[in-house]
Amino acid sequence: MSGKVFCGNRSPRPDAVDEDGARLDDVILIRTPDESDKLALVQADGPFFTTPHFDGYNAVLVRASRLREITRDELAEVITDAWCSCAPKTVVTKWLAERDQ
């Protein structure tokens, strides 16, 4: 995938902290296809959030401890969209065709 990360663990950083100011150690980064998808996830009533560090970058953050707030199918859709936004277009087209989407 040309070295592009579509989903991964994020090391604790000063821009993602809990209510006591401690750096969150269970943050997962998930790419989004575009800004509108990012905003939809962040503005929805769910576990996704962002920080100023990601302004202008198509990605959302989610704490692993909050993943239970969404269904497995919802998470699969978000991760599939993330992969599709990073994978080579020919690979995505073939993969989607094989799944008859």
Side-chain angles (χ1 to χ4, degrees), residues 39-91:
L39 290 175
L41 288 170
V42 170
Q43 293 174 348
D45 185 28
F48 298 101
F49 68 100
T50 189
T51 67
H53 180 76
F54 287 96
D55 287 352
Y57 186 73
N58 295 333
V60 293
L61 304 172
V62 62
R63 292 188 70 181
S65 61
R66 295 192 61 197
L67 285 176
R68 69 179 75 83
E69 296 177 26
I70 60 174
T71 68
R72 181 183 175 111
D73 288 343
E74 290 168 326
L75 180 59
E77 180 180 351
V78 171
I79 292 174
T80 299
D81 288 348
W83 177 79
C84 288
S85 71
C86 293
K89 299 296 180 214
T90 55
V91 174

Side-chain angles (χ1 to χ4, degrees), residues 6-67:
F6 67 94
C7 182
N9 228 11
R10 184 170 183 251
S11 61
R13 296 182 45 96
D15 64 321
V17 296
D18 66 14
E19 53 279 347
D20 297 322
R23 292 181 182 188
L24 301 176
D25 62 359
D26 66 340
V27 176
I28 300 167
L29 174 132
I30 304 173
R31 292 276 305 239
T32 59
D34 55 40
E35 183 71 14
S36 64
D37 284 304
K38 174 183 179 173
L39 290 175
L41 288 170
V42 170
Q43 293 174 348
D45 185 28
F48 298 101
F49 68 100
T50 189
T51 67
H53 180 76
F54 287 96
D55 287 352
Y57 186 73
N58 295 333
V60 293
L61 304 172
V62 62
R63 292 188 70 181
S65 61
R66 295 192 61 197
L67 285 176

